[in-house]
Amino acid sequence: MTRLVLILGDQLSEGLSALAAADKARDVVVMAEVADEAGYVPHHPKKIAFLFSAMRKFAAWLRAAGWDVRYGRLDGPETGNSICAELLRRAEEVGATKVLATEPGEWRLIEALKACPVPVTLLPDDRFLCSHAEFATWAKGRKALRMEYFYREMRKTTGLLMDGEDPAGGQWNFDHDNRKPAPGAVDFNGPMRFEPDAVVREVLDLVRDLFDGNFGELDDFWFATDRAQARRTLSHWVTGGLPNFGDYQDAMLRGERFLWHGVISMYLNAGLLGPLEVCEAVEQAWRDGSAPLNAAEGFIRQVIGWREYVRGIYFLEGPDYVTRNALGHDRDLPWMYWGGETRMRCMKEAVSQTRDEAYAHHIQRLMVTGNFALLAGVAPRQVHEWYLAVYADAYEWVEAPNTIGMSQFADGGIIASKPYVSSGNYINKMSDYCKGCAYSVTSKTGEGACPFNLLYWHFMNRHRGRFEGNPRMAQMYRTWDRMDADKRETVLTEAGDLLARLDAGEVV
Ligand code: FAD
Ligand code: DLZ
Ligand code: SF4
């Protein structure tokens, strides 16, 4: 009996569990560009172009490897609007009654597949290094699910950067070496860029026609769109970017969009690269002496630590995770996130590079756009939908814990032990943004005071009941209490005025 083998847009891996369980001689692969997936948030046009190009190339690779592949194009008149509709159509076409699929990375789609009239068998997604069961076992009985302890277990299981039982270099984490401010010049020319070929050009035309209204620039598309290109991107970065990756991981510089970052998350998350192979390449560079340990460890921690950990949390916490709002924030996402005018240089830089590249690095996401939304009290659901839409690497399993949990503290502290908030001082220390800003980072109040400075204290004051008992925040409450009462009043009044101007849609 013929079965269908579903391959989703972020499942473009040769060793995918659904493919491994299928029989090339009798089963039929189904892939489809469908309106529901392309439209559940207004995805950045470069994200759609990347995924459709990579899907089309993966389908061609499967065909060359002998699979019967039925591929639905978005502009194909027969293509269904949803994954389930497409499965039903193909089931009828080939006479199949069952579907094999690898578990999707989003509750929405898992539930849709379970409700689909044609029965779907969901197989574990073994492209990750930690299964749901292993994560649940690790989490069981713990008071706090801190990433650092999870990460140490992952180091031991994978053997990465281990000297026998001990961590290489005698310590698990070199993060304290990885917070250097931006240096003057960047000696890495950024991620490898690829000229669009015929397949990509055809997709670009389609995306230009159908997604013109979405936030994001489609021109100057340079992403890798198949595994061979993604592998070249990885080697290029390991040679040129990795050596300085650790030192300047948190730095931000005007006009330097990628610094020494890998810019490989979109390839990892779509399945063009695997987590173990990228970590092994990085470990090898350290063992060969071409990259320092703080860089190799810093990178490997992000991949086998943070990436696996956030996925574990997403699946452990369940479908309602994205609705959490522990701080009761309800402000609308300011228009500046969609490219509206702003006088804040840091926000302008982060948003405009997001519009151009569908990329911003971690500190831009966490300490600029995320920090501002949290300080301003924006509804976390809206913040979540923005991040899910605008980044080429965004799928809910990874984006939601980062946004709802790490960035917005909306899960009440499952991921973060304290909220990631800062005044302008942090941004000034880690970037050169403040130099060209209409606001003054050193002004705490008055005309031209940096909005981060005002909103920081507004946030601390309005959430005092929740945070003053947190030992990591006590010092800041002491600083606030030592401030002159009039000064505190002025800060809160000016912060309130600023929020009112945001709500009124004025340029801030
Ligand atoms: P590098 O700095 O080179 O890091 C190496 C790799 O580590 C990344 O490619 C990525 O796979 C992994 N990694 C690093 N940090 C994290 C993390 N916190 N969680 C998971 N993986 C991590 N990452 C996504 O892949 N998709 C998202 O949708 C996403 N949304 C985010 C939203 C917010 C609010 C924040 C604060 C972070 C988010 N991240 C997300 C994490 C991180 O910002 C990106 O993984 C990183 O910027 C990708 O760029 P890079 O490949 O250059 O990473
Ligand atoms: C993100 C995305 C987009 C834009 N389009 C498609 C699509 O047309 N077909 C498809 O199979 N997958 C697409 N995806 C990826 C899915 O949304 C992703 O598989 C789920 O969100 C689960 O992670
Ligand atoms: Fe951002 Fe404030 Fe610096 Fe301006 S002064 S760039 S708003 S941190």
Side-chain angles (χ1 to χ4, degrees), residues 129 147-152 154-155 158 160-161 171-179 242 245-247 249-250 275 278-279 282 293-310 362 420:
L129 304 172
M147 195 290 293
E148 182 62 27
Y149 298 107
F150 170 78
Y151 164 58
R152 291 178 192 183
M154 293 302 290
R155 287 273 294 279
T158 58
L160 286 162
L161 293 183
Q171 62 194 69
W172 293 103
N173 183 317
F174 290 82
D175 212 19
H176 62 266
D177 295 337
N178 290 5
R179 293 182 184 142
L242 175 65
F245 168 80
D247 283 2
Q249 205 176 332
D250 290 358
V278 302
C279 291
V282 164
L293 185 54
N294 70 307
E297 190 281 318
F299 179 85
I300 287 173
R301 175 158 27 91
Q302 309 306 319
V303 177
I304 66 168
W306 280 111
R307 186 170 184 271
E308 296 286 331
Y309 166 83
V310 296
H362 188 65
Y420 281 96

Side-chain angles (χ1 to χ4, degrees), residues 177-212:
D177 295 337
N178 290 5
R179 293 182 184 142
K180 296 200 175 65
V186 178
D187 63 1
F188 173 53
N189 60 0
M192 187 167 255
R193 304 170 78 89
F194 298 89
E195 198 57 42
D197 56 24
V199 174
V200 178
R201 284 199 302 273
E202 199 180 358
V203 169
L204 289 174
D205 287 342
L206 172 91
V207 173
R208 201 168 283 112
D209 276 356
L210 298 181
F211 301 96
D212 194 35

